[in-house]
Amino acid sequence: MQPTPETVVLLLAVFIGSSTGMGIVTFHYLIHLIHTLMLEDVMGIISPAGPWTLACIPALGGAVVGLMRWHRPDFGPGISALIAATQGRRELLPLRPVPKMVAASVSLGTGASLGPEGPSVEIGANLGMLLGVQGSQ
């Protein structure tokens, strides 16, 4: 019993879509976890010093992301690197996008004024590329 090419494509699309959905749910969970940790737990500790301490939370998030960038300058592939990987000019490592996802979660969870849409698209693109590259080998 040989599946048709349409069936294989449909099953791969379901698998890649499900994996991407799980990655994005994990990303949103990390944002919520860091937000709760920083604005409830850390603020509970430092808030007796005054209301100005609320400004320390985004600064702390920026410091953490800065340390992550200092420790690992190559934060994983961007969209242009993913395009280069599809053309065979660059190799993708499976866990390279994880620090980028964690840094975006820290940034958003501590109050950065951007949305989760851009990192969510990159998470989906990275997972799709990784699954596509692994499937073609």
Side-chain angles (χ1 to χ4, degrees), residues 43-64:
M43 273 306 292
I45 294 170
I46 65 173
S47 64
W52 63 271
T53 56
L54 183 60
C56 294
I57 300 299
L60 181 62
V64 168

Side-chain angles (χ1 to χ4, degrees), residues 95-120:
L95 293 178
R96 184 162 280 170
V98 172
K100 193 176 207 177
M101 180 177 79
V102 172
S105 298
V106 169
S107 182
L108 291 170
T110 57
S113 61
L114 56 112
E117 294 83 11
S120 296

Side-chain angles (χ1 to χ4, degrees), residues 13-132:
V14 167
F15 181 67
I16 291 172
S18 299
S19 300
T20 299
M22 287 188 288
I24 293 172
V25 166
T26 303
F27 173 62
H28 283 273
Y29 176 75
L30 280 173
I31 293 171
H32 179 68
L33 179 70
I34 292 167
H35 182 78
T36 302
L37 175 72
M38 297 306 267
L39 291 179
E40 290 180 11
D41 298 339
V42 174
M43 273 306 292
I45 294 170
I46 65 173
S47 64
W52 63 271
T53 56
L54 183 60
C56 294
I57 300 299
L60 181 62
V64 168
V65 172
L67 286 173
M68 289 176 73
R69 288 287 286 182
W70 177 69
H71 184 271
R72 182 178 288 256
D74 184 17
F75 239 28
I79 297 299
S80 60
L82 290 174
I83 292 170
T86 60
Q87 297 169 348
R89 296 183 302 193
R90 184 172 175 169
E91 182 181 339
L92 287 178
L93 299 174
L95 293 178
R96 184 162 280 170
V98 172
K100 193 176 207 177
M101 180 177 79
V102 172
S105 298
V106 169
S107 182
L108 291 170
T110 57
S113 61
L114 56 112
E117 294 83 11
S120 296
V121 168
E122 285 200 21
I123 290 168
N126 281 307
L127 285 171
M129 275 298 301
L130 289 174
L131 293 173

